Amino acid sequence: MISFSPPRMDQKIVDAVVDTLYSGWITTGPKTKRFEKNLTQYGGHKITLCVSSASAGLELMLRWFGVKPGDEVIVPAYTYSATANVVVHCGARVVFVDAGTDFNIDSEAIKKAITPRTKVIMPVDIAGWPCDYETINAIVSEPAIKSMFCAESDEQKKLGRILVLSDAAHSIGAGYHGKKAGNLTDITVYSFHAVKNLTTAEGGAVCLNLPESFDHDQIYKELNAKSLHGQTKDALAKTQIGSWRYDIIEPGYKYNMTDIQAAMGLVELERYDNDMLVRRKAIFDRYAAAFTQYPWAQVPEYERAGRYSSYHVFLLRIRNIDETMRDEIIREIFNREVAVNVHFVPLPMMTYYREAGYHIEDYPVAFDNYSREISLPVYYDLTNEMVDTVVKAVVEAVELTLDN
Ligand SMILES: Cc1ncc(COP(=O)(O)O)c(C=O)c1O
């Protein structure tokens, strides 16, 4: 069986983890701090805070910005539940916007969804393909949109406009007009979950890139405390001689990353561009070359005009099929010992959101993308022979289903 997305595990990762286990310090400490510095250097943004997951990072930033009941947050209808759930946790209203044909939020449709209650837009780089940030960043700075913005918290007053909080759970390493994801908008959050391109088993990072008027070192301190129960000192600082006393300045959260996770991340990041992404791109190229010859295949965009993907998963669409036929094709692919997936079932189709009053009929492009989509495996250890096996399984399954 060809599996869908096993993590890359080798002696380097094992050694880094074992070294940490015996180091005398296994929770947040020197390795997490080093990983943060290396991530900042890698992304080119201003400062990084490592956290326990992307979900934690996104929620932390919504709360930092003061998102609360009565506010609205714009979220793509086509994403994983984490993007919208964190908005619900803050008591704010999720405003879904339809997808474009490239799977990402339709940047032109965002404008129509903005109201005086809109506090944040959360674009998602689906499968690693960066959103149209030029348009999104321009929208939030338009005078008419800015004058509609009702600033309440100090952070909102300082920014004076809607915050762009990018969910880059899939897109570390992706690029856009000479910049990397992390540096494309106000705040970006990566995920290092087990199935992601760069993994720490579970984990995430908040990349801060706010305007110069914000004191990023000060915000880092604030967020660090917020991610550790509002404690003024982390566990390591408290072990220093005479440093046991600490204060709680707010009822914060428990969102910190451990040094065991960071140890994995340090190894992964060091070889990410020159090794991991090279292999992922080669897999994308091989799938694209194989499928473009079939008229029924719609190959995803992954490189265009200064924009390139992090090659997270290959979102193949089959032309002129419906959801039932897609499910039948997936069954046939599994029968050929190949694991595939669907990214994503649009959130308005999920029970919670449906019962909250959202209708998938209002998001026709998201539904069309979903109903014809099959996610193909992409990971470091997937060999060319395995890619060819996946292609063969997909071609056989599609042709069998289309013939019936
Ligand atoms: C688009 C998107 N956003 C957020 C997340 C949440 O990431 P994490 O598991 O690190 O909280 C995921 C996880 O799969 C995701 O796919």
Side-chain angles (χ1 to χ4, degrees):
M1 184 85 186
I2 293 181
S3 48
F4 187 69
S5 61
R8 178 183 182 185
M9 251 340 117
D10 62 7
Q11 200 56 46
K12 262 191 144 165
I13 297 270
V14 172
D15 289 347
V17 169
V18 170
D19 177 60
T20 312
L21 293 175
Y22 285 122
S23 72
W25 197 262
I26 56 175
T27 185
T28 315
K31 290 197 170 146
T32 307
K33 299 301 157 198
R34 182 141 44 93
F35 188 35
E36 288 175 344
K37 285 207 166 59
N38 292 4
L39 284 166
T40 303
Q41 208 169 32
Y42 177 79
H45 48 277
K46 292 175 184 137
I47 204 161
T48 310
L49 177 82
C50 281
V51 284
S52 52
S53 66
S55 307
L58 291 167
E59 183 163 338
L60 188 70
M61 297 323 297
L62 290 176
R63 297 208 183 258
W64 168 81
F65 199 55
V67 171
K68 57 167 188 9
D71 293 337
E72 292 177 357
V73 177
I74 293 178
V75 171
Y78 200 89
T79 183
Y80 180 62
S81 56
T83 325
N85 286 357
V86 293
V87 176
V88 177
H89 297 171
C90 295
R93 197 168 91 81
V94 175
V95 176
F96 286 124
V97 165
D98 202 3
T101 52
D102 68 349
F103 292 98
N104 285 342
I105 191 164
D106 177 349
S107 47
E108 297 299 333
I110 287 175
K111 221 162 157 174
K112 291 191 209 105
I114 293 175
T115 76
R117 287 185 290 278
T118 309
K119 290 296 196 299
V120 181
I121 299 172
M122 295 172 73
V124 183
D125 303 333
I126 300 288
W129 179 240
C131 291
D132 179 7
Y133 287 106
E134 209 164 56
T135 304
I136 297 170
N137 288 335
I139 289 173
V140 296
S141 292
E142 271 182 31
I145 303 281
K146 275 181 90 167
S147 66
M148 214 200 289
F149 183 68
C150 298
E152 293 170 89
S153 69
D154 289 347
E155 290 74 17
Q156 292 169 14
K157 285 178 190 152
K158 190 156 198 176
L159 189 64
R161 59 163 170 79
I162 295 169
L163 175 80
V164 183
L165 172 59
S166 164
D167 177 343
H170 303 176
S171 61
I172 182 168
Y176 185 90
H177 299 334
K179 289 183 180 179
K180 279 200 161 90
N183 192 8
L184 300 176
T185 194
D186 299 322
I187 302 172
T188 302
V189 178
Y190 301 140
S191 171
F192 305 134
H193 174 266
V195 302
K196 299 302 190 291
N197 285 17
L198 188 161
T199 187
T200 59
E202 294 283 353
V206 176
C207 309
L208 295 178
N209 200 37
L210 291 155
E212 292 296 340
S213 53
F214 284 86
D215 179 343
H216 285 75
D217 290 329
Q218 181 55 34
I219 298 172
Y220 175 89
K221 271 194 205 143
E222 244 175 79
L223 294 175
N224 204 27
K226 229 184 207 3
S227 68
L228 255 179
H229 285 301
Q231 204 168 289
T232 48
K233 279 181 195 161
D234 64 24
L236 187 63
K238 279 162 56 186
T239 62
Q240 307 306 308
I241 296 169
S243 289
W244 62 269
R245 194 180 284 281
Y246 64 94
D247 193 12
I248 298 295
I249 51 174
E250 63 171 316
Y253 306 90
K254 189 66 168 64
Y255 285 165
N256 57 310
M257 174 179 277
T258 70
D259 266 21
I260 303 172
Q261 292 165 297
M264 293 177 71
L266 283 163
V267 173
E268 293 262 290
L269 186 63
E270 198 181 293
R271 62 194 185 187
Y272 189 62
D273 270 10
N274 297 334
D275 189 10
M276 313 266 261
L277 279 189
V278 172
R279 180 65 204 140
R280 286 182 170 271
K281 175 174 158 38
I283 294 169
F284 262 62
D285 287 341
R286 200 169 179 91
Y287 277 139
F291 285 115
T292 36
Q293 57 188 298
Y294 295 96
W296 46 257
Q298 188 179 349
V299 168
E301 268 191 301
Y302 61 95
E303 284 168 342
R304 173 168 55 85
R307 199 186 317 192
Y308 56 89
S309 176
S310 65
Y311 319 102
H312 179 47
V313 275
F314 193 89
L315 307 185
L316 180 70
R317 274 166 291 185
I318 314 298
R319 296 185 202 277
N320 304 318
I321 60 165
D322 61 19
E323 198 182 353
T324 313
M325 289 167 83
R326 189 276 313 277
D327 292 353
E328 180 54 31
I329 293 168
I330 288 182
R331 256 192 305 278
E332 287 298 336
I333 295 171
F334 269 91
N335 285 343
R336 286 162 178 77
E337 305 273 299
V338 171
V340 291
N341 219 318
V342 173
H343 291 84
F344 292 97
V345 179
L347 294 182
M349 294 175 73
M350 298 296 195
T351 304
Y352 171 79
Y353 288 98
R354 210 178 52 235
E355 289 180 352
Y358 300 94
H359 305 286
I360 188 60
E361 295 74 19
D362 296 331
Y363 312 95
V365 182
F367 182 76
D368 178 63
N369 288 340
Y370 149 78
S371 64
R372 303 187 293 107
E373 196 271 328
I374 302 169
S375 308
L376 306 186
V378 180
Y379 48 91
Y380 186 80
D381 294 316
L382 194 75
T383 62
N384 285 349
E385 293 67 34
M386 289 158 87
V387 172
D388 296 344
T389 304
V390 175
V391 171
K392 185 166 178 285
V394 172
V395 170
E396 284 177 9
V398 170
E399 295 191 338
L400 185 73
T401 308
L402 292 181
D403 283 347
N404 282 337

